[in-house]
């Protein structure tokens, strides 16, 4: 007998290939070298990793709760945080107990799919999902129009005008046209409901799918048995109409989610997959970005993105840093300039020496902040999440009760009343009300150069009444000039500056950078730069808000030196308004440096705009009271307090909070960590310090204070739209549920009401997706 090889059918073969490819992809993610692509070491739990993933198949808050429960049940998985609106999640897991493939498979058992947030094919999958949605919507629309055409004669003619045979023929035609709607257009709802039933879960698709199935079954029985208990009327027109309306709402929701997440996706996917590296023989070789290391030299062509932070060695070009710094205009870069990862090369070919890669780059720090925003849940959204499942269970019980109540009167009518209750009470609008508005606003702010670290902060910002500014690096620019140097007898100004600069080079504080820059400029002019750079301090430590200390070798002896405030160095205070920093050794005071600082040109206008919005303004600074008072008066702030340590600032904020004030803190993020964390809302200027160390809720990437006013106005708009959405969702349910229970609301009208309520919420939220600058009124 000849053996015949039977090939699997094309759909089965495709499914098998997809499953095999998915399994191979999961195994690849178990390689520790792959973890860095979508995970970071968890700072709060030693040895654990924090992974960012996107979930496919989610539609509501109940889905997020189901996913969180499934992931927490996996041994080795710690914290889980999932946002139903952005479909993104953060999973903290221990590599000693589990692997990514294990906890990803745990959600697949519930019908969902977890994909690394940086997955190169994620955008293409979203496009395919959008195409499938459009096809389902088109089929539902075409069939709905035909079914309505066949149903119209029954509605508009008098009894007896149409023969029973013609009515029966029209019913059969409607049944045939409803089949593509049920078995194609309704697939997402039915698949999700079947998944819920198999796993004894509940989501917002379950009551909707039950309504569709009941309507189709009742109408089919009425078509097959016109003389039976369900033969008086069929509801194919209602079925096709509410399927069309629901798909329209789902499609617009999908479009809105892609639009509001656009800024995040644009940043997350800016790095190239491979780069051209200069090899030891001078030739260029294409390597994976994961093999890129500090010190490598790469070639970047026009149109390509920078793979790491680095120094331009050769070439001249313009770069686009809009999504990273908020700077909308292209910036010129040439040999000697620095470029940052994620920025785009626009015009010329350049050679770049890599100085930072991976998690050390500003790009990675920005991504970390943006991901935290996309995962956070405002308190209003948490409240909806908490009640999502109980509310859905209540819907099912109320629907069942309504069917039982109406059954003795008319079984067909009873089932359609139950369907109307199932559909009209589905809380889609309620679950979308808060996260849709928050994410739309966060996306617009990101495009304007403001990173939202916590969505909850948008809610808090709208209700604050007091704004506190730090002075140095906030109201003034972080660049200082040495205006004068006072020294003790026997010490030259040049010697004092050299000692101070040697300590200052170990600090990121703007004052330290100014001293080091002044010393380098003088040494360069005198030809002694190599001598200055060769000196190094030992055992250097920095006390936040006070100064830097360390050991410096002077004439063969280790001399302990302190550089910082007058109190820290036990130094005299000179008359004047300049910032003063002192140097001291074990014998006492050595020198005091007076530093002139430049006021930010936009600061007076920002202060005036904030006052116009009804806010109280204050200044808290660690600098001398005279310098703080002068800067505060120049910008128009009356309440200014100097000589504050970080603890003093925190205590002052807590005292105002105890009086009932809602306080925002604006600082440079360097020595303001405690007060930034303690304020109700906090802002940090993104250029000041590494972003990963920031405790702020908002990061102003462009370093311009104008964004503060824009963010405040946007937060008030956001809260206003959230309240409008919540009120509308509540009014809609309060008005329609009684109508459905009384049998006065047909299934098609219930579907239309549910779809329109969700559409209204989505469209209202889309008003916030406009760019910040174009929607912010002039101060």
């Amino acid at each position: 007998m000849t053996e015949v090889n039977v090939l699997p059918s094309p759909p089965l073969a495709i499914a098998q290939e997809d499953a095999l490819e998915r399994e191979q992809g999961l195994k690849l993610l178990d390689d520790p070298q792959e973890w860095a692509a979508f995970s970071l070491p968890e700072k709060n739990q030693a040895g654990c990793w924090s992974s960012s993933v996107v979930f496919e198949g989610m539609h509501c808050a109940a889905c997020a709760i189901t996913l969180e429960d499934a992931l927490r049940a996996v041994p080795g998985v710690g914290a889980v945080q999932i946002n139903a609106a952005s479909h993104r999640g953060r999973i903290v897991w221990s590599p000693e107990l589990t692997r990514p493939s294990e906890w990803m498979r745990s959600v697949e058992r519930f019908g969902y799919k977890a994909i690394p947030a940086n997955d190169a094919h994620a955008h293409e999958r979203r496009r395919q999902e959008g195409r499938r949605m459009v096809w389902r919507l088109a089929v539902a629309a075409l069939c709905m129009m035909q079914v309505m055409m066949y149903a119209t004669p029954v509605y508009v003619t008098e009894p007896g005008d149409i023969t029973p045979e013609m009515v029966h023929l029209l019913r059969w035609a409607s049944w045939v046209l409803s089949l593509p709607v049920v078995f194609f257009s309704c697939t997402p709802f039915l698949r999700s409901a079947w998944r819920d039933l198999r796993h004894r879960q509940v989501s917002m698709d379950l009551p909707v799918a039950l309504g569709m199935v009941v309507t189709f079954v009742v109408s089919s029985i009425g078509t097959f048995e016109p003389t039976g208990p369900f033969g008086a009327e069929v509801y194919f027109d209602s079925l096709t109409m509410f399927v069309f309306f629901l798909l329209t709402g789902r499609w617009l929701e999908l479009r809105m989610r892609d639009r509001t997440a656009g800024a995040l996706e644009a940043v997350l996917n800016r790095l190239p997959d491979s780069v051209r590296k200069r090899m030891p023989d001078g030739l260029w070789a294409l390597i994976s970005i994961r093999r890129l290391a500090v010190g490598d030299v790469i070639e970047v062509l026009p149109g390509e993105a920078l793979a790491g932070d680095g120094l331009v060695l050769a070439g001249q070009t313009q770069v686009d840093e809009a999504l990273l710094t908020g700077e909308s205009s292209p910036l010129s870069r040439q040999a000697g300039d620095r470029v940052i990862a994620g920025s785009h090369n626009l015009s010329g070919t350049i050679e770049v020496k890599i100085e930072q890669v991976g998690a050390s780059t500003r790009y990675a720090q920005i991504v970390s902040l943006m991901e935290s925003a996309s995962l956070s849940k405002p308190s209003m959204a948490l409240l909806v999440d908490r009640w999502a499942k109980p509310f859905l269970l209540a819907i099912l019980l109320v629907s069942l009760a309504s069917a039982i109540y109406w059954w003795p009167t008319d079984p067909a009518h009873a089932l359609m009343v139950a369907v109307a209750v199932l559909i009209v009470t589905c809380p889609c609008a309620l679950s979308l009300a808060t996260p849709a508005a928050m994410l739309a606003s966060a996306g617009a702010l990101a495009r304007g150069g403001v990173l939202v670290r916590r969505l909850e902060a948008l809610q808090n910002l709208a209700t604050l009444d007091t704004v506190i500014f730090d002075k140095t690096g906030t109201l003034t620019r972080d660049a200082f000039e040495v205006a004068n140097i006072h020294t003790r007898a026997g010490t030259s100004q040049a010697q004092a500056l050299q000692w101070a600069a040697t300590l200052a080079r170990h600090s990121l504080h703007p004052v330290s950078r100014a001293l080091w820059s002044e010393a380098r400029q003088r040494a360069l002019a005198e030809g002694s730069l190599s001598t200055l750079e060769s000196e190094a301090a030992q055992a250097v430590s920095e006390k936040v808000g006070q100064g830097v200390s360390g050991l410096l070798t002077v004439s063969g002896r280790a001399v302990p030196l302190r550089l910082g405030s007058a109190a820290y160095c036990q130094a005299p205070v000179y008359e004047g308004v300049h910032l003063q920093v002192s140097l001291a050794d074990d014998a006492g005071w050595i020198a005091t440096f007076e530093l002139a600082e430049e006021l930010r040109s936009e600061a007076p206008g920002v202060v005036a705009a904030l006052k116009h919005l009804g806010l109280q303004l204050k200044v808290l600074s660690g600098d001398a009271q005279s310098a703080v008072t002068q800067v505060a008066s120049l910008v128009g702030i009356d309440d200014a307090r100097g000589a504050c340590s970080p603890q003093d600032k925190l205590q002052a904020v807590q005292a105002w909070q105890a009086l009932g004030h809602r306080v925002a803190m604006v600082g440079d993020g360097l020595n303001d960590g405690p007060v930034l964390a303690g304020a109700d809302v906090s802002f940090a200027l993104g250029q000041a310090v590494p972003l990963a160390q920031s405790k702020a809720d908002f990061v102003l990437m462009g370093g311009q204070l104008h964004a503060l006013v824009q963010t405040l106005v946007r937060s008030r708009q956001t809260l206003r739209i959230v309240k409008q959405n919540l009120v509308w969702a509540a009014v809609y349910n309060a008005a329609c549920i009684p109508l459905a229970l009384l049998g006065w609301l047909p299934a098609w009208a219930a579907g239309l009401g549910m779809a329109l309520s969700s559409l209204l919420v989505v469209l209202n939220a889309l008003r916030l997706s406009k760019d910040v600058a174009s929607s912010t009124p002039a101060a």
Side-chain angles (χ1 to χ4, degrees):
M1 177 181 291
T2 304
E3 182 178 355
V4 179
N5 294 325
V6 180
L7 297 176
S9 60
L12 181 59
I14 293 174
Q16 291 175 343
E17 290 176 3
D18 290 344
L20 180 60
E21 182 180 354
R22 174 66 177 166
E23 186 64 26
Q24 291 175 343
L26 289 177
K27 290 181 179 179
L28 180 63
L29 295 178
D30 288 342
D31 185 353
Q33 295 183 352
E34 299 291 329
W35 296 349
F38 65 102
S39 308
L40 289 173
E42 176 61 21
K43 297 179 181 179
N44 299 327
Q45 300 181 35
C48 292
W49 288 76
S50 175
S51 297
S52 298
V53 295
V54 176
F55 293 97
E56 293 184 351
M58 286 183 60
H59 298 295
C60 64
C63 294
I65 296 173
T66 299
L67 284 167
E68 289 177 350
D69 292 341
L71 287 165
R72 290 193 182 102
V74 177
V77 173
V80 179
Q81 192 177 15
I82 299 174
N83 188 300
S86 64
H87 293 196
R88 303 181 69 87
R90 172 179 170 270
I91 296 91
V92 178
W93 52 280
S94 170
E96 296 180 357
L97 300 175
T98 187
R99 284 292 189 270
S101 63
E102 296 178 16
W103 49 263
M104 285 185 177
R105 289 193 189 96
S106 71
V107 301
E108 290 185 355
R109 289 193 288 270
F110 286 83
Y112 303 94
K113 185 180 292 185
I115 300 170
N118 70 327
D119 189 84
H121 305 291
H123 180 67
E124 181 60 29
R125 274 194 294 268
R126 286 202 313 274
R127 290 182 59 187
Q128 293 177 357
E129 181 184 1
R131 292 194 193 101
R132 288 193 294 268
M133 186 70 72
V134 170
W135 273 108
R136 293 190 178 101
L137 181 60
V139 170
L142 180 62
C143 293
M144 176 195 69
M145 290 187 291
Q146 293 297 107
V147 170
M148 288 299 299
M149 184 176 68
Y150 294 148
T152 299
V154 179
Y155 290 131
V156 301
T157 58
E158 298 294 331
D161 290 349
I162 304 179
T163 63
E165 291 78 8
M166 180 58 67
V167 172
H168 194 54
L169 180 61
L170 292 175
R171 286 188 178 185
W172 272 102
S174 298
W175 180 79
V176 171
L177 287 168
S178 297
L179 293 177
V181 176
V182 172
F183 292 103
F184 178 67
S185 297
C186 294
T187 301
F189 304 101
L190 298 177
R191 186 187 297 121
S192 179
W194 176 244
R195 177 194 65 208
D196 292 339
L197 292 174
R198 284 191 296 113
H199 297 285
R200 299 179 182 179
Q201 299 289 335
V202 60
S203 71
M204 292 180 191
D205 282 344
L206 181 58
V208 171
L210 286 176
M212 294 174 179
V213 171
V214 169
T215 304
F216 181 72
V217 170
V218 169
S219 300
S220 298
I221 294 174
T223 301
F224 299 148
E225 298 182 5
T227 59
F230 301 109
E233 188 176 358
V234 295
Y235 307 94
F236 294 118
D237 53 341
S238 296
L239 172 65
T240 54
M241 283 181 69
F242 78 70
V243 169
F244 170 74
F245 293 142
L246 293 177
L247 285 174
T248 301
R250 185 67 60 85
W251 177 71
L252 287 176
E253 177 191 341
L254 179 67
R255 291 290 303 273
M256 185 277 298
R257 190 177 73 242
D258 287 344
R259 181 174 176 180
T260 55
L264 175 61
E265 293 292 335
V267 172
L268 290 178
N269 299 317
R270 285 176 78 89
L271 293 188
D273 295 326
S274 58
V275 294
R276 282 175 299 281
K277 173 186 172 181
R278 187 165 65 192
M279 307 306 289
D281 57 6
L283 299 178
W284 300 99
L286 195 66
I287 65 169
S288 169
I289 189 175
R290 294 171 189 162
R291 295 174 55 193
L292 191 63
V294 174
D296 289 345
V297 176
I298 64 172
E299 182 183 44
V300 185
L301 301 179
E304 294 183 343
L306 275 298
D309 295 349
L311 181 70
V312 178
L313 297 181
Q316 184 174 359
T317 187
Q318 288 188 319
V319 296
D320 176 14
E321 298 181 355
L323 285 178
L324 302 174
T325 65
E327 175 57 57
S328 58
S329 302
L331 303 174
S332 297
R333 293 291 184 264
Q334 57 188 355
D337 293 336
R338 281 181 166 77
V339 290
I340 56 178
S343 59
H344 269 109
N345 181 18
L346 299 178
S347 56
T349 301
I350 56 175
E351 296 180 12
V352 179
K353 181 179 180 180
I354 298 299
E355 296 178 334
Q356 298 286 351
V357 293
S360 301
T361 63
R362 287 189 63 208
Y363 168 81
Q365 295 158 8
I366 293 171
V367 166
S368 177
L369 288 181
M370 295 189 75
E371 285 183 334
S372 67
S374 69
L375 296 174
S376 62
K377 297 181 182 181
S379 57
M380 293 181 181
L382 287 172
L383 182 63
V384 173
D385 287 0
R386 192 177 302 119
W387 287 99
K389 283 193 174 182
F391 188 76
L392 290 171
L393 292 174
I395 289 174
L396 298 176
L397 294 176
V398 170
S399 177
L400 178 62
S402 65
I404 295 173
Y405 176 81
W406 286 99
W407 190 269
T409 304
D410 184 350
H413 180 68
L415 289 177
M416 296 315 296
V417 168
V419 169
V421 172
L422 281 174
I423 296 172
V424 81
T425 54
C426 191
C428 290
L430 193 63
S431 67
L432 284 172
T434 299
M438 293 288 185
L439 284 174
S441 193
L445 287 170
R447 288 191 296 273
V450 180
L451 297 189
V452 183
R453 191 167 177 264
R454 292 188 311 116
L455 290 183
E456 177 77 13
L458 274 172
Q459 181 178 322
N460 295 338
L461 182 60
T463 61
L464 64 86
D465 56 28
T466 303
V467 178
I468 301 173
F469 290 94
D470 181 34
K471 180 182 74 71
T472 304
T474 304
L475 293 176
T476 62
R477 300 196 179 278
D478 60 1
F480 294 86
E481 292 184 357
V482 177
N484 198 4
I485 302 177
H486 306 275
T487 63
R488 71 185 180 190
T491 303
S492 67
Q493 291 186 357
Q495 185 65 69
L497 180 60
Q498 181 178 342
W499 291 344
T502 304
L503 273 181
R505 67 186 300 184
H506 296 278
S507 172
L508 291 174
H509 195 282
V511 168
S512 298
R513 293 205 301 267
L515 291 173
W516 173 246
S517 176
E518 178 71 16
R520 287 187 81 254
Q521 291 179 8
R522 294 192 182 189
L524 187 62
E526 297 171 359
S528 58
L529 181 59
S530 59
T531 302
L532 174 66
E533 293 182 340
S534 65
E535 292 192 4
Q538 306 295 325
V540 177
S541 63
E542 184 171 3
K543 290 187 178 181
V544 177
Q546 297 185 49
V548 185
S549 63
L551 297 176
L552 187 64
T553 301
V554 180
S555 301
R557 184 174 66 92
V559 178
L561 294 176
R562 298 188 306 278
L563 176 68
S565 64
Y568 181 61
C569 298
Q570 298 181 351
V573 178
Y574 290 84
E575 293 291 335
V577 295
H578 290 154
L579 173 65
Q580 298 179 19
V581 60
S582 299
L583 178 70
D585 59 10
D586 51 358
W589 172 76
I590 298 176
T592 295
F593 306 90
E594 291 190 34
L595 301 174
E597 51 191 336
E598 179 186 355
L599 188 71
R600 287 184 179 270
S601 59
E602 74 272 18
V606 169
V607 167
L610 293 176
K611 286 183 176 180
H612 181 70
L613 293 173
L615 298 173
Q616 300 182 48
L617 305 180
K618 306 175 185 296
V619 178
L620 291 178
S621 176
D623 298 339
Q625 183 65 51
S626 58
V628 175
T629 301
Q630 184 199 32
V631 170
S633 63
L634 289 175
V635 299
I637 299 178
D638 299 326
D639 189 348
R641 188 184 306 177
C644 295
S645 66
Q647 187 62 30
D648 294 334
K649 294 181 182 180
L650 179 59
Q651 290 175 353
V653 167
Q654 291 172 340
W656 283 317
Q657 290 172 329
L659 295 174
H661 293 290
R662 304 279 292 178
V663 180
M665 180 69 196
V666 186
D668 60 6
L670 186 64
N671 56 5
D672 297 322
V675 68
L676 287 174
D680 296 295
V681 182
S682 52
F683 290 82
L685 275 68
Q687 306 277 1
V689 293
L691 296 175
Q693 300 175 2
S694 174
K695 301 295 184 182
D697 300 315
F698 298 90
V699 179
L700 310 182
M701 293 303 302
Q704 297 293 321
L705 288 177
H706 288 306
L708 175 64
V709 181
Q710 297 167 355
T711 307
L712 180 61
V713 173
R714 178 53 62 96
S715 72
R716 294 184 177 182
Q717 294 172 346
T718 303
L719 189 60
R720 182 166 60 251
I721 285 181
V722 166
K723 290 180 178 178
Q724 290 173 359
N725 287 347
L726 291 174
V727 168
W728 162 249
V731 170
Y732 156 75
N733 280 280
C736 293
I737 290 176
L739 296 177
L741 290 173
L742 292 172
W744 295 349
L745 192 70
W748 68 267
L752 177 61
M754 174 188 169
L756 287 179
S757 65
S758 297
L759 287 180
L760 183 62
V761 165
V762 170
L763 293 175
N764 200 29
L766 278 177
R767 294 163 53 197
L768 293 166
S769 64
K770 294 186 297 183
D771 287 344
V772 176
S774 63
S775 61
T776 302

